[in-house]
């Protein structure tokens, strides 16, 4: 199995944990040297903190594990295209590589609404790609919001 697929599957499993807690099902995995150093999912509802996106949570966890606020040479796998807040965090924490599954036409800031990671004013460049399991990640989100509307 290719590594992007493997790590994105792990992020999907994190999203499912968030779903079980009543959170919007977005999951994230952060790797260093092709090893998982942190996993997390969305938790703004349970944390009563609007900043607790999966990306924020996994980066906070990884910084503690590495005892460093700079996460150089790491890769972030996330089930949904990051928003503007999370893109800023990726830059400031020096994430090297981003792989996301589903695009986010409403709030995505990597390819959907703006290309924030490509902005000239950013002092660090994050490589990014839309990776595997887009359908699976998208289906999780669609089923969550469909159930909320019933």
């Amino acid at each position: 199995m290719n590594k992007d697929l493997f790590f994105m599957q792990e992020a999907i499993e994190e999203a499912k944990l968030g779903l079980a807690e009543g959170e919007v099902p977005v999951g994230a995995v952060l790797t260093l040297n092709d090893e998982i150093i942190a996993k997390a999912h969305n938790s703004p509802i349970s944390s009563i903190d609007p900043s607790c996106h999966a990306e924020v949570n996994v980066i906070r966890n990884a910084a503690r594990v590495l005892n460093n606020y700079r996460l150089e040479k790491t890769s972030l796998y996330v089930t949904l295209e990051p928003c503007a807040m999370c893109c800023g965090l990726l830059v400031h924490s020096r994430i090297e590589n981003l792989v996301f599954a589903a695009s986010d036409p409403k709030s995505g800031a990597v390819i959907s609404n703006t290309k924030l990671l490509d902005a000239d004013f950013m002092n660090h460049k994050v490589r990014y790609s839309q990776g595997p399991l887009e359908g699976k990640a998208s289906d999780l989100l669609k089923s969550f919001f469909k159930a909320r509307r019933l």
Side-chain angles (χ1 to χ4, degrees):
M1 175 185 297
N2 102 21
K3 73 177 181 178
D4 287 354
L5 180 60
F6 175 80
F7 293 133
M8 192 61 73
Q9 184 59 51
E10 293 293 312
I12 292 278
E13 293 305 314
E14 272 299 311
K16 289 177 183 177
L17 292 174
L19 178 64
E21 295 172 7
E23 300 282 356
V24 176
V26 178
V29 169
L30 199 118
T31 68
L32 176 63
N33 300 322
D34 292 332
E35 290 189 25
I36 295 172
I37 58 170
K39 298 180 186 183
H41 53 272
N42 272 6
S43 65
I45 298 166
S46 60
S47 297
I48 313 170
D49 181 347
S51 72
C52 284
H53 291 193
E55 300 94 326
V56 173
N57 293 336
V58 79
I59 287 170
R60 286 176 178 161
N61 293 345
R64 282 188 212 93
V65 167
L66 297 176
N67 196 32
N68 196 334
Y69 72 107
R70 301 281 192 195
L71 302 177
E72 295 172 339
K73 299 181 179 160
T74 61
S75 294
L76 174 65
Y77 294 83
V78 63
T79 60
L80 184 64
E81 177 185 359
C83 69
M85 174 185 71
C86 292
C87 283
L89 180 60
L90 268 66
V91 168
H92 288 293
S93 56
R94 303 298 193 264
I95 302 290
E96 184 173 303
N97 188 50
L98 164 69
V99 180
F100 63 92
S103 60
D104 183 357
K106 183 177 176 191
S107 301
V110 178
I111 61 169
S112 293
N113 293 294
T114 184
K115 294 184 185 297
L116 193 54
L117 295 177
D118 293 329
D120 290 337
F121 63 85
M122 291 295 187
N123 64 341
H124 170 73
K125 295 297 178 192
V126 178
R127 288 190 311 248
Y128 61 86
S129 63
Q130 190 165 5
L133 302 178
E134 177 183 4
K136 212 175 223 185
S138 183
D139 288 348
L140 262 177
L141 289 158
K142 286 176 186 173
S143 64
F144 172 81
F145 286 112
K146 184 177 179 183
R148 300 266 312 214
R149 286 191 280 273
L150 296 178

